[in-house]
Amino acid sequence: MLLQVDDIHVHYGQVAAVKGISLEVDEADFVALIGSNGAGKSTTLRTISGLEHPSAGSIVFDGVAIDRMSADRIVRLGIAHVPEGRRVFKDLTVSENLRLGAFTRSDQQEIEDDLEKILTRFPRLRERKDQMARTMSGGEQQMVAIGRALMSKPRMLLLDEPSLGLAPLIVQEIARILIEINHSGVAVVLVEQNAELALELARHGYVLETGNIALEGEASGLMDNDHVRRAYLGI
Amino acid sequence: MELFLQSIANGLVQGGFFALFAVGLVLIFGVMGVVNFAHGELVMVGAFTIWLLHAQYGLGYIPAIAVAIVLVTVIGLVMERLLFRPTRADPLAGLICSIGILFILQVIAALIGGDGPSKQVPPPYQGTLVMFESLRIPYQRVFSLAISVAALVSLWFFLTRTRYGWALRAVALDREAAELQGINTNRISMVAIGVGTALAGLAGGLIAPLTNINPHMGHNVIVTAFIVTIVGGVGSLSGAVLAAILYAVFHTLITVYFGATIATISGLVLMVVVLIVKPTGLMGVRVSE
Amino acid sequence: MGISRRKFIQASAAGTVAASTGFSPLTFASSHDTVKIGMNIPMTGDYAPWGLPGLYGCQIVADNLNASGGVEIGGKKHKIEIVSYDHGYDIEKAVQGYKKMVSQDEADMVMMLGGATVGAVMPWGERKNVFTTTLLCSDITPDTEHLVATCESHPLYVVTGVEWLAKNHPDAKTAVIVTNNDVEYGLQAAATFQAAFEVAGIEVVDMNLHGFDVTDFAPIVSSVLAKNPDIFCMATSFYTTPLMEQLYHQGYKGKVISTTLDYHEEVIAKTSQEFVDGTIHQFPAFDDPKLTEDGINFPDPGGFDAEFRKRHPNDWSAVSWEYPAIMLNWLEGAKAAGSTDSDKVLKALQSNPNPEFVFGGGKWWGKELWGRDNVVIGRWPVVVIEGGKTRIKEFASVSDWLDKHSDVLIKYMKSHGLRTVS
């Protein structure tokens, strides 16, 4: 077991956003969290990566308790988080953004090699590596954000709504890239409102409703579930 | 024409000095979200250090500047650690703390410097550079300009060519996203306030032989810094440098041709016009994106 | 809670001060009565150079008088005690200090620098009949019966410097004036210099009135030097050092005249002695041999100068001897009246048509401009810096000039919107 989240509760002030969520992610697993707005998906991801801390429950990554750790230390353990809205550094160039992804690393030569790999994987970024990130389209910024996360050499990648606001063609490209990443041995945890896309890509799925897990299971099984079909797939 | 050239030269010297402390203010504001009202007093502490160590105790000018930079930087780091970091969640708290520091530094300077008139530091570099027969710049000002430019170039190099420079800009742009890259934002805050206050200490060291030194000299510094920061676009370093130079040359020319009072009023009017016409400043960007 | 805490601190501070001075057994053991001289002056801040050195000076003169047994008033020897308050040129603090001095410390008279701080205390001072002094004669109004300027009459004395300059350097025909643009100091001096230059036949080719926010004087100096003046006139006492420094660096070769050049050693350190030599101003050093001549009403100027420099080597300024001179004026009045009562002292002083003036030749004046003859004008020294030292060239009569040309002065004061009664 790579990641074990056990009955976590998370509060924003007095408001409970997550009320007892447990989930498990295996080495090189692909897990989807689906649910409507406010179900606690983003909060769950933010808590795993250390931006929030649970008021109860525990999170263990590769045998290390991380629920009290600061975000910058969690990155060093091998968790990379592509946050909602991409959050690229808009006044930095594409290549500066990517290099910042490797901030925790000191192996200069390997960093250069990895940068080269990422620019090969995202040819559009190579053309624009000296441009300010703000000049890029939404899809390209998403690629920067994913590339930046990969530069930390993660063992697990958390993605928060990567398809949001992107054209269908770009969404497909992102989906293809996520599969490639997963196949290279990186575990992926994907939060999506686009439940169809998420369940197509993932092996396991969790359905979140008002801070709790309503359903969980094989992604293909969830896809056939009546409740899921009605509430999230619109069928 | 001679007068015009002389004024441009005078304006550039001032511009270099303005840029040093405006950039520090922008760095601290950008990375930490704190409007450091005590920034002018940090310049004052730098100038006072030169007066005390160089003019009173005969330490060399350059070593005295080094001490001024270290002292002011230490004050900055202590401010960050003891005041700004614990109050990070409340944007007003940092500002109020900095106003408290402002008064404390003024009182300490008055206690050390004693009562009486403004202090003067004899210029370590005597003589005047004469160019084209009539363009005259005292060597002290040439020195001041050269060091300002060198410091700004080093800062630019640090920010655009080093890992910590990128990290610092990243924290200024998006603190949380920076944390997700494994950047320890508290450490970067220390770097930012360290660099910002070191520049203030340097600015104090450079201005010391050129002006009246007294405990409340920081007031004029902070007013200028605010104008420059707003005109340049809050949060934009290159905007601050550009605005510092433009404002200094503008202010100098208005002073020469229309008088100092008009110049001060024009500076403030310029700020208001920028706020109305281009609220994001010369180089600023929209926050809403 | 906050307020009571502050009161607690104030009370304990006042208690400590009282314990260490007012109620000390020595005071009670003394067989003398005391006169209390109040000094409500700036001792910190921008204006400190025109406050603190005066306190030092008064202390020396008081020590000398006390050592010789005190001053006899009304048949009794009195020791002199100085009570001082630092208002830092803050108007509220000035009022607070003034009231404390009169009500609590029971000061017999209060000396002040002048300007807004004096304007703020006088309404209360008039109700309580407090003998108050100022260095700025423009503070006098028809309502200020108890306010006198018996020593420095800023800035009337500058007419003597201009007169001397015109007489001794007849080739200097054009001048520029630079000063701070405040109503109390700068504009008064600018108007007086303009009047003096007009009378002397010197044309003012440029005038630069700047605020107190100037940090760099380079542009101001280049702008006025572009007019190629023969005379550079500093109608300021705040910015003489940076202005001189800029003149030096910008290669100015003409004459310099200033209201004062206190701390000229400092200016020399920033420029050169050769450059500063020849500068004309109006405030002598007190070791000047000319101050031993007849007609000078100041006890042992040389000894005073030496003692001052021994006690406070770097603090000599124009006011070092001015507040002592005012204190001596008041003591003369008290002796003549046989009383320390404000009205009696005032009456004794003003009934003398030739009051003792520090440089002699004194007479009461002021009604023409400010509605009351509460200013003593007389002879005033013109000094020139020679070999790095301030030396008196001559004494000239301010009153003679005013008798002939006060209309010119009034014209320029009106042109700056300054208050006059005529």
Side-chain angles (χ1 to χ4, degrees), chain B residues 207-258:
Chain B
I207 199 75
L210 302 174
T211 193
N212 286 350
I213 300 168
N214 56 57
H216 41 277
M217 65 188 281
H219 174 75
N220 287 332
V221 172
I222 198 78
V223 171
T224 308
F226 282 149
I227 296 175
V228 165
T229 309
I230 288 170
V231 170
V234 178
S236 164
L237 287 168
S238 47
V241 172
L242 183 69
I245 292 162
L246 288 180
Y247 175 71
V249 171
F250 167 83
H251 193 277
T252 304
L253 288 174
I254 302 272
T255 302
V256 168
Y257 292 107
F258 300 98

Short mmCIF file of all heavy atoms in Angstrom, two decimals, chain B residues 207-258:
data_model
loop_
_atom_site.label_atom_id
_atom_site.label_comp_id
_atom_site.label_asym_id
_atom_site.label_seq_id
_atom_site.Cartn_x
_atom_site.Cartn_y
_atom_site.Cartn_z
N ILE B 207 23.31 57.07 0.86
CA ILE B 207 22.73 58.41 0.97
C ILE B 207 23.39 59.20 2.09
O ILE B 207 23.36 60.43 2.10
CB ILE B 207 21.19 58.32 1.19
CG1 ILE B 207 20.50 59.65 0.86
CG2 ILE B 207 20.85 57.97 2.63
CD1 ILE B 207 20.39 59.90 -0.60
N ALA B 208 24.00 58.49 3.05
CA ALA B 208 24.52 59.16 4.25
C ALA B 208 25.38 60.39 3.96
O ALA B 208 25.14 61.45 4.54
CB ALA B 208 25.28 58.16 5.13
N PRO B 209 26.35 60.33 3.04
CA PRO B 209 27.18 61.52 2.82
C PRO B 209 26.48 62.59 1.98
O PRO B 209 27.04 63.65 1.76
CB PRO B 209 28.39 60.98 2.05
CG PRO B 209 28.28 59.50 2.08
CD PRO B 209 26.84 59.18 2.27
N LEU B 210 25.27 62.30 1.50
CA LEU B 210 24.63 63.22 0.56
C LEU B 210 23.46 64.00 1.16
O LEU B 210 22.84 64.81 0.50
CB LEU B 210 24.11 62.44 -0.66
CG LEU B 210 25.15 61.64 -1.46
CD1 LEU B 210 24.47 60.82 -2.53
CD2 LEU B 210 26.16 62.59 -2.08
N THR B 211 23.12 63.75 2.42
CA THR B 211 21.90 64.35 2.92
C THR B 211 22.00 64.64 4.42
O THR B 211 22.97 64.27 5.07
CB THR B 211 20.69 63.43 2.64
OG1 THR B 211 19.48 64.15 2.86
CG2 THR B 211 20.71 62.21 3.54
N ASN B 212 20.98 65.32 4.96
CA ASN B 212 20.88 65.53 6.40
C ASN B 212 20.41 64.23 7.05
O ASN B 212 19.40 63.69 6.65
CB ASN B 212 19.83 66.61 6.70
CG ASN B 212 20.33 68.00 6.38
OD1 ASN B 212 21.51 68.21 6.11
ND2 ASN B 212 19.43 68.97 6.41
N ILE B 213 21.12 63.77 8.05
CA ILE B 213 20.75 62.51 8.70
C ILE B 213 20.07 62.83 10.03
O ILE B 213 20.64 63.50 10.88
CB ILE B 213 22.00 61.65 8.96
CG1 ILE B 213 22.69 61.34 7.64
CG2 ILE B 213 21.63 60.36 9.70
CD1 ILE B 213 24.06 60.74 7.80
N ASN B 214 18.84 62.40 10.17
CA ASN B 214 18.14 62.56 11.44
C ASN B 214 17.16 61.42 11.62
O ASN B 214 16.86 60.70 10.66
CB ASN B 214 17.46 63.94 11.51
CG ASN B 214 16.52 64.15 10.36
OD1 ASN B 214 15.61 63.37 10.15
ND2 ASN B 214 16.75 65.21 9.58
N PRO B 215 16.66 61.24 12.85
CA PRO B 215 15.86 60.04 13.12
C PRO B 215 14.59 59.93 12.28
O PRO B 215 14.08 58.84 12.08
CB PRO B 215 15.51 60.17 14.61
CG PRO B 215 16.58 61.03 15.17
CD PRO B 215 16.95 61.99 14.08
N HIS B 216 14.08 61.05 11.76
CA HIS B 216 12.82 60.93 11.01
C HIS B 216 13.02 61.14 9.51
O HIS B 216 12.09 61.46 8.79
CB HIS B 216 11.77 61.88 11.57
CG HIS B 216 12.31 63.20 11.95
ND1 HIS B 216 12.94 63.43 13.15
CD2 HIS B 216 12.37 64.35 11.28
CE1 HIS B 216 13.35 64.67 13.20
NE2 HIS B 216 13.02 65.25 12.09
N MET B 217 14.25 60.96 9.03
CA MET B 217 14.50 61.10 7.60
C MET B 217 13.79 60.02 6.79
O MET B 217 13.58 60.16 5.59
CB MET B 217 16.00 61.05 7.30
CG MET B 217 16.65 59.71 7.62
SD MET B 217 18.45 59.73 7.47
CE MET B 217 18.67 59.62 5.71
N GLY B 218 13.38 58.94 7.46
CA GLY B 218 12.72 57.84 6.76
C GLY B 218 11.38 58.23 6.16
O GLY B 218 10.89 57.60 5.24
N HIS B 219 10.79 59.30 6.70
CA HIS B 219 9.47 59.71 6.22
C HIS B 219 9.47 60.03 4.72
O HIS B 219 8.65 59.53 3.97
CB HIS B 219 9.00 60.92 7.02
CG HIS B 219 7.72 61.50 6.52
ND1 HIS B 219 6.50 60.90 6.75
CD2 HIS B 219 7.48 62.59 5.77
CE1 HIS B 219 5.56 61.61 6.16
NE2 HIS B 219 6.13 62.64 5.57
N ASN B 220 10.43 60.87 4.31
CA ASN B 220 10.50 61.21 2.88
C ASN B 220 10.79 59.99 2.04
O ASN B 220 10.29 59.85 0.93
CB ASN B 220 11.59 62.26 2.64
CG ASN B 220 11.17 63.62 3.13
OD1 ASN B 220 10.00 63.94 3.18
ND2 ASN B 220 12.13 64.42 3.53
N VAL B 221 11.62 59.09 2.58
CA VAL B 221 11.98 57.88 1.85
C VAL B 221 10.73 57.05 1.58
O VAL B 221 10.49 56.61 0.46
CB VAL B 221 13.01 57.06 2.66
CG1 VAL B 221 13.23 55.71 2.00
CG2 VAL B 221 14.31 57.82 2.79
N ILE B 222 9.89 56.87 2.60
CA ILE B 222 8.76 55.95 2.44
C ILE B 222 7.71 56.57 1.50
O ILE B 222 7.09 55.88 0.71
CB ILE B 222 8.14 55.56 3.81
CG1 ILE B 222 7.28 54.30 3.67
CG2 ILE B 222 7.32 56.65 4.43
CD1 ILE B 222 8.06 53.04 3.59
N VAL B 223 7.55 57.89 1.55
CA VAL B 223 6.60 58.54 0.64
C VAL B 223 7.05 58.33 -0.80
O VAL B 223 6.27 57.92 -1.67
CB VAL B 223 6.47 60.05 0.97
CG1 VAL B 223 5.66 60.74 -0.12
CG2 VAL B 223 5.80 60.24 2.32
N THR B 224 8.34 58.57 -1.06
CA THR B 224 8.88 58.34 -2.40
C THR B 224 8.69 56.88 -2.80
O THR B 224 8.28 56.58 -3.92
CB THR B 224 10.37 58.68 -2.43
OG1 THR B 224 10.54 59.99 -1.91
CG2 THR B 224 10.91 58.62 -3.84
N ALA B 225 8.99 55.98 -1.87
CA ALA B 225 8.89 54.55 -2.19
C ALA B 225 7.46 54.17 -2.57
O ALA B 225 7.24 53.40 -3.50
CB ALA B 225 9.36 53.71 -1.01
N PHE B 226 6.48 54.74 -1.87
CA PHE B 226 5.09 54.43 -2.20
C PHE B 226 4.73 54.95 -3.59
O PHE B 226 4.08 54.26 -4.37
CB PHE B 226 4.14 55.02 -1.16
CG PHE B 226 4.09 54.21 0.10
CD1 PHE B 226 3.86 54.81 1.32
CD2 PHE B 226 4.30 52.84 0.06
CE1 PHE B 226 3.83 54.06 2.49
CE2 PHE B 226 4.27 52.08 1.23
CZ PHE B 226 4.04 52.70 2.44
N ILE B 227 5.14 56.19 -3.88
CA ILE B 227 4.84 56.74 -5.20
C ILE B 227 5.44 55.84 -6.28
O ILE B 227 4.77 55.42 -7.22
CB ILE B 227 5.38 58.18 -5.34
CG1 ILE B 227 4.66 59.10 -4.37
CG2 ILE B 227 5.23 58.67 -6.78
CD1 ILE B 227 5.19 60.52 -4.35
N VAL B 228 6.73 55.50 -6.09
CA VAL B 228 7.42 54.69 -7.09
C VAL B 228 6.76 53.32 -7.23
O VAL B 228 6.54 52.83 -8.34
CB VAL B 228 8.91 54.54 -6.69
CG1 VAL B 228 9.57 53.43 -7.46
CG2 VAL B 228 9.63 55.86 -6.89
N THR B 229 6.39 52.72 -6.11
CA THR B 229 5.78 51.39 -6.15
C THR B 229 4.43 51.42 -6.86
O THR B 229 4.12 50.56 -7.67
CB THR B 229 5.59 50.87 -4.71
OG1 THR B 229 6.83 51.01 -4.03
CG2 THR B 229 5.18 49.44 -4.71
N ILE B 230 3.64 52.44 -6.58
CA ILE B 230 2.32 52.53 -7.18
C ILE B 230 2.43 52.85 -8.67
O ILE B 230 1.76 52.23 -9.50
CB ILE B 230 1.46 53.56 -6.43
CG1 ILE B 230 1.07 52.99 -5.07
CG2 ILE B 230 0.21 53.91 -7.24
CD1 ILE B 230 0.44 53.98 -4.14
N VAL B 231 3.32 53.78 -9.00
CA VAL B 231 3.49 54.12 -10.42
C VAL B 231 4.03 52.90 -11.18
O VAL B 231 3.62 52.61 -12.29
CB VAL B 231 4.42 55.34 -10.58
CG1 VAL B 231 4.79 55.54 -12.04
CG2 VAL B 231 3.75 56.59 -10.04
N GLY B 232 4.94 52.17 -10.55
CA GLY B 232 5.55 51.03 -11.22
C GLY B 232 4.63 49.82 -11.33
O GLY B 232 4.84 48.95 -12.15
N GLY B 233 3.62 49.77 -10.50
CA GLY B 233 2.74 48.61 -10.49
C GLY B 233 3.10 47.78 -9.27
O GLY B 233 4.15 47.16 -9.24
N VAL B 234 2.21 47.78 -8.28
CA VAL B 234 2.50 47.11 -7.02
C VAL B 234 2.86 45.65 -7.29
O VAL B 234 2.17 44.95 -7.99
CB VAL B 234 1.28 47.19 -6.08
CG1 VAL B 234 1.56 46.45 -4.80
CG2 VAL B 234 0.93 48.63 -5.80
N GLY B 235 4.00 45.23 -6.76
CA GLY B 235 4.39 43.85 -6.92
C GLY B 235 5.31 43.61 -8.11
O GLY B 235 5.80 42.52 -8.30
N SER B 236 5.53 44.64 -8.93
CA SER B 236 6.39 44.44 -10.09
C SER B 236 7.76 45.04 -9.83
O SER B 236 7.90 46.25 -9.63
CB SER B 236 5.76 45.09 -11.32
OG SER B 236 6.74 45.23 -12.32
N LEU B 237 8.79 44.18 -9.83
CA LEU B 237 10.14 44.66 -9.54
C LEU B 237 10.70 45.51 -10.67
O LEU B 237 11.24 46.60 -10.45
CB LEU B 237 11.08 43.48 -9.29
CG LEU B 237 10.85 42.77 -7.95
CD1 LEU B 237 11.60 41.47 -7.93
CD2 LEU B 237 11.31 43.67 -6.82
N SER B 238 10.53 45.01 -11.92
CA SER B 238 11.05 45.79 -13.03
C SER B 238 10.28 47.11 -13.13
O SER B 238 10.85 48.15 -13.44
CB SER B 238 10.95 45.00 -14.33
OG SER B 238 9.66 44.42 -14.43
N GLY B 239 8.98 47.06 -12.80
CA GLY B 239 8.17 48.28 -12.79
C GLY B 239 8.71 49.26 -11.77
O GLY B 239 8.80 50.46 -12.03
N ALA B 240 9.11 48.75 -10.59
CA ALA B 240 9.62 49.63 -9.55
C ALA B 240 10.91 50.30 -9.98
O ALA B 240 11.12 51.49 -9.76
CB ALA B 240 9.82 48.84 -8.25
N VAL B 241 11.80 49.53 -10.62
CA VAL B 241 13.07 50.11 -11.07
C VAL B 241 12.81 51.18 -12.13
O VAL B 241 13.33 52.30 -12.05
CB VAL B 241 14.01 49.01 -11.62
CG1 VAL B 241 15.24 49.64 -12.25
CG2 VAL B 241 14.41 48.06 -10.51
N LEU B 242 11.98 50.83 -13.10
CA LEU B 242 11.67 51.78 -14.17
C LEU B 242 11.02 53.04 -13.59
O LEU B 242 11.40 54.17 -13.90
CB LEU B 242 10.72 51.11 -15.18
CG LEU B 242 10.35 51.96 -16.39
CD1 LEU B 242 11.57 52.14 -17.28
CD2 LEU B 242 9.22 51.30 -17.18
N ALA B 243 10.04 52.83 -12.71
CA ALA B 243 9.33 53.96 -12.12
C ALA B 243 10.27 54.81 -11.27
O ALA B 243 10.17 56.03 -11.26
CB ALA B 243 8.15 53.48 -11.28
N ALA B 244 11.21 54.16 -10.57
CA ALA B 244 12.15 54.90 -9.72
C ALA B 244 12.97 55.86 -10.58
O ALA B 244 13.14 57.03 -10.25
CB ALA B 244 13.07 53.94 -8.97
N ILE B 245 13.45 55.36 -11.71
CA ILE B 245 14.30 56.19 -12.56
C ILE B 245 13.46 57.29 -13.22
O ILE B 245 13.83 58.47 -13.20
CB ILE B 245 15.03 55.32 -13.60
CG1 ILE B 245 16.03 54.42 -12.86
CG2 ILE B 245 15.73 56.17 -14.64
CD1 ILE B 245 16.51 53.25 -13.64
N LEU B 246 12.30 56.89 -13.76
CA LEU B 246 11.45 57.90 -14.41
C LEU B 246 11.01 58.97 -13.41
O LEU B 246 11.07 60.17 -13.70
CB LEU B 246 10.20 57.23 -15.00
CG LEU B 246 10.44 56.37 -16.24
CD1 LEU B 246 9.13 55.77 -16.73
CD2 LEU B 246 11.07 57.22 -17.34
N TYR B 247 10.60 58.51 -12.23
CA TYR B 247 10.12 59.46 -11.23
C TYR B 247 11.23 60.41 -10.80
O TYR B 247 11.02 61.61 -10.66
CB TYR B 247 9.54 58.72 -10.02
CG TYR B 247 9.12 59.64 -8.90
CD1 TYR B 247 8.00 60.46 -9.05
CD2 TYR B 247 9.86 59.72 -7.73
CE1 TYR B 247 7.62 61.32 -8.03
CE2 TYR B 247 9.49 60.58 -6.71
CZ TYR B 247 8.37 61.38 -6.87
OH TYR B 247 8.01 62.25 -5.87
N ALA B 248 12.43 59.86 -10.60
CA ALA B 248 13.55 60.70 -10.15
C ALA B 248 13.89 61.74 -11.20
O ALA B 248 14.09 62.93 -10.89
CB ALA B 248 14.77 59.84 -9.84
N VAL B 249 13.93 61.33 -12.47
CA VAL B 249 14.27 62.29 -13.53
C VAL B 249 13.13 63.32 -13.66
O VAL B 249 13.38 64.53 -13.75
CB VAL B 249 14.50 61.54 -14.86
CG1 VAL B 249 14.64 62.52 -16.01
CG2 VAL B 249 15.75 60.67 -14.75
N PHE B 250 11.91 62.84 -13.61
CA PHE B 250 10.73 63.70 -13.67
C PHE B 250 10.76 64.74 -12.54
O PHE B 250 10.65 65.94 -12.74
CB PHE B 250 9.48 62.81 -13.57
CG PHE B 250 8.17 63.51 -13.32
CD1 PHE B 250 7.46 64.08 -14.36
CD2 PHE B 250 7.65 63.58 -12.03
CE1 PHE B 250 6.25 64.70 -14.12
CE2 PHE B 250 6.44 64.20 -11.79
CZ PHE B 250 5.74 64.78 -12.84
N HIS B 251 10.97 64.23 -11.32
CA HIS B 251 10.98 65.10 -10.14
C HIS B 251 12.11 66.13 -10.25
O HIS B 251 11.93 67.31 -9.95
CB HIS B 251 11.15 64.24 -8.89
CG HIS B 251 10.87 64.96 -7.61
ND1 HIS B 251 11.82 65.74 -7.00
CD2 HIS B 251 9.76 65.05 -6.85
CE1 HIS B 251 11.30 66.27 -5.90
NE2 HIS B 251 10.04 65.87 -5.79
N THR B 252 13.27 65.68 -10.71
CA THR B 252 14.42 66.58 -10.82
C THR B 252 14.14 67.66 -11.86
O THR B 252 14.39 68.85 -11.61
CB THR B 252 15.67 65.77 -11.22
OG1 THR B 252 15.85 64.74 -10.26
CG2 THR B 252 16.89 66.65 -11.24
N LEU B 253 13.61 67.26 -13.01
CA LEU B 253 13.34 68.26 -14.06
C LEU B 253 12.28 69.27 -13.61
O LEU B 253 12.43 70.48 -13.82
CB LEU B 253 12.89 67.57 -15.36
CG LEU B 253 14.01 66.82 -16.10
CD1 LEU B 253 13.45 66.07 -17.29
CD2 LEU B 253 15.10 67.79 -16.55
N ILE B 254 11.23 68.78 -12.96
CA ILE B 254 10.18 69.69 -12.49
C ILE B 254 10.78 70.64 -11.44
O ILE B 254 10.49 71.84 -11.43
CB ILE B 254 8.99 68.93 -11.89
CG1 ILE B 254 8.40 67.97 -12.90
CG2 ILE B 254 7.93 69.90 -11.36
CD1 ILE B 254 7.34 68.53 -13.80
N THR B 255 11.64 70.10 -10.57
CA THR B 255 12.27 70.95 -9.56
C THR B 255 13.08 72.05 -10.21
O THR B 255 13.02 73.21 -9.81
CB THR B 255 13.18 70.10 -8.65
OG1 THR B 255 12.40 69.07 -8.05
CG2 THR B 255 13.80 70.93 -7.55
N VAL B 256 13.82 71.68 -11.24
CA VAL B 256 14.68 72.66 -11.90
C VAL B 256 13.85 73.73 -12.62
O VAL B 256 14.11 74.92 -12.49
CB VAL B 256 15.62 71.95 -12.91
CG1 VAL B 256 16.30 72.96 -13.82
CG2 VAL B 256 16.65 71.14 -12.15
N TYR B 257 12.84 73.30 -13.34
CA TYR B 257 12.14 74.26 -14.21
C TYR B 257 10.90 74.89 -13.56
O TYR B 257 10.45 75.94 -13.98
CB TYR B 257 11.78 73.59 -15.54
CG TYR B 257 13.00 73.28 -16.36
CD1 TYR B 257 13.46 71.98 -16.52
CD2 TYR B 257 13.75 74.31 -16.95
CE1 TYR B 257 14.60 71.70 -17.25
CE2 TYR B 257 14.89 74.05 -17.69
CZ TYR B 257 15.31 72.74 -17.84
OH TYR B 257 16.45 72.48 -18.55
N PHE B 258 10.33 74.23 -12.54
CA PHE B 258 9.11 74.79 -11.96
C PHE B 258 9.17 74.95 -10.44
O PHE B 258 8.28 75.51 -9.84
CB PHE B 258 7.89 73.93 -12.32
CG PHE B 258 7.66 73.83 -13.80
CD1 PHE B 258 8.10 72.73 -14.50
CD2 PHE B 258 7.03 74.86 -14.49
CE1 PHE B 258 7.91 72.63 -15.86
CE2 PHE B 258 6.84 74.77 -15.84
CZ PHE B 258 7.28 73.65 -16.55
#
